[in-house]
Amino acid sequence: MLLVDVEKRLGDFTVVAKFEAPDGVTALFGPSGSGKTSIVSMVAGLMTPDRGRIVCNETLLFDSSTRFSHPPHRRGIGYVFQDGRLFPHMTVARNLDYGRRMYSLPRDADEQARIVALLDIARLLERRPGNLSGGERQRVAIGRALLMRPRLLLLDEPLASLDAARKREIFPYLLRLRDEKVPMIYVSHQPEEVRRIATTVVRINGGRVSGIGGTELLDAAEADLLG
């Protein structure tokens, strides 16, 4: 369970978000520029709220009233960006191992083999990111985040930079993660993605939460767009 109650002013734009994300996949859904990435950045500790409180699985991550903020590397949160952000000078195998080493975690060969198989990246291990397709790079980025053994996985528009064919390639792997009960916050402005993967939807508009519920919120959003 993730509890978020935050406020952040960004120039002329203010994010004010309060919601609970239960186990499963919670989608932050809304148009581009609505504040979704700012919210997950605050959860990850990459952006500091002006006010508020963030709790994940009963562990306090941020509380402005006591000026407490867990540093990002101690929050136990995996973050997958739009562009993967792999290290170009490292092989896939070394990229995968980076998170474990950064968190000083013991090597677990069985867990690594399980994730490599889950994401179907065994044949890529000796390649460098420059020799991977966009979908392959995103699968490696997801694997790296999972090998950090996170309590929560944040996926910020993970398909946004991919063409239609690569999206079709990678989406089944995201569904596998959901079915393996990996807790996720999934950011997207694409209703068809959210409809397929989300168990809870938080609709974001203009920096505010405008609705919390199931995928029926997508129908309402599409109806609004149609006028």
Side-chain angles (χ1 to χ4, degrees), residues 43-65:
V43 172
L46 304 180
M47 180 184 292
T48 303
D50 296 331
R51 179 209 62 78
R53 180 179 171 88
I54 303 170
V55 180
C56 185
N57 295 346
E58 301 184 352
T59 297
L60 182 65
L61 302 182
F62 176 83
D63 189 343
S64 61
S65 68

Side-chain angles (χ1 to χ4, degrees), residues 1-215:
M1 171 85 67
L2 175 70
L3 307 176
V4 175
D5 181 4
V6 293
E7 182 174 335
K8 178 70 175 180
R9 186 172 181 83
L10 302 163
D12 294 331
F13 185 75
T14 301
V15 175
V16 180
K18 183 176 182 179
F19 63 90
E20 296 183 3
D23 291 340
V25 180
T26 296
L28 300 189
F29 170 74
S32 297
S34 59
K36 304 184 300 297
T37 294
S38 297
I39 293 169
V40 292
S41 293
M42 286 186 268
V43 172
L46 304 180
M47 180 184 292
T48 303
D50 296 331
R51 179 209 62 78
R53 180 179 171 88
I54 303 170
V55 180
C56 185
N57 295 346
E58 301 184 352
T59 297
L60 182 65
L61 302 182
F62 176 83
D63 189 343
S64 61
S65 68
T66 59
R67 298 184 179 180
F68 174 80
S69 182
H70 243 346
H73 66 281
R74 293 186 177 175
R75 294 195 178 199
I77 291 176
Y79 200 144
V80 178
F81 299 89
Q82 290 184 23
D83 55 2
R85 301 195 185 181
L86 301 178
F87 296 106
H89 62 289
M90 293 183 182
T91 63
V92 165
R94 290 186 63 202
N95 267 284
L96 289 172
D97 202 41
Y98 176 81
R100 180 194 66 80
R101 290 187 288 106
M102 186 178 74
Y103 282 86
S104 300
L105 297 172
R107 187 181 298 276
D108 187 333
D110 290 341
E111 177 66 1
Q112 177 154 340
R114 187 186 71 83
I115 289 172
V116 165
L118 176 71
L119 297 170
D120 192 22
I121 53 178
R123 61 189 174 82
L124 309 177
L125 292 176
E126 297 309 314
R127 296 189 195 177
R128 294 182 187 271
N131 295 320
L132 305 178
S133 71
E136 289 169 340
R137 284 194 294 271
Q138 283 299 79
R139 277 189 277 153
V140 173
I142 292 167
R144 180 176 63 183
L146 290 173
L147 286 166
M148 296 177 186
R149 302 175 201 170
R151 69 182 88 203
L152 177 68
L153 186 62
L154 306 177
L155 297 118
D156 186 8
E157 300 268 11
L159 308 184
S161 63
L162 305 180
D163 61 28
R166 299 289 79 75
K167 288 179 181 180
R168 288 193 297 271
E169 169 195 322
I170 195 172
F171 206 81
Y173 298 101
L174 299 177
L175 295 177
R176 283 189 195 179
L177 296 182
R178 180 199 63 191
D179 294 343
E180 289 231 343
K181 310 300 183 185
V182 175
M184 292 186 277
I185 303 294
Y186 188 90
V187 173
S188 180
H189 63 278
Q190 297 291 345
E192 61 272 17
E193 290 178 22
V194 173
R195 199 181 306 278
R196 289 183 65 191
I197 198 169
T199 52
T200 301
V201 177
V202 178
R203 188 177 174 191
I204 308 294
N205 240 322
R208 267 56 173 183
V209 174
S210 62
I212 302 173
T215 54

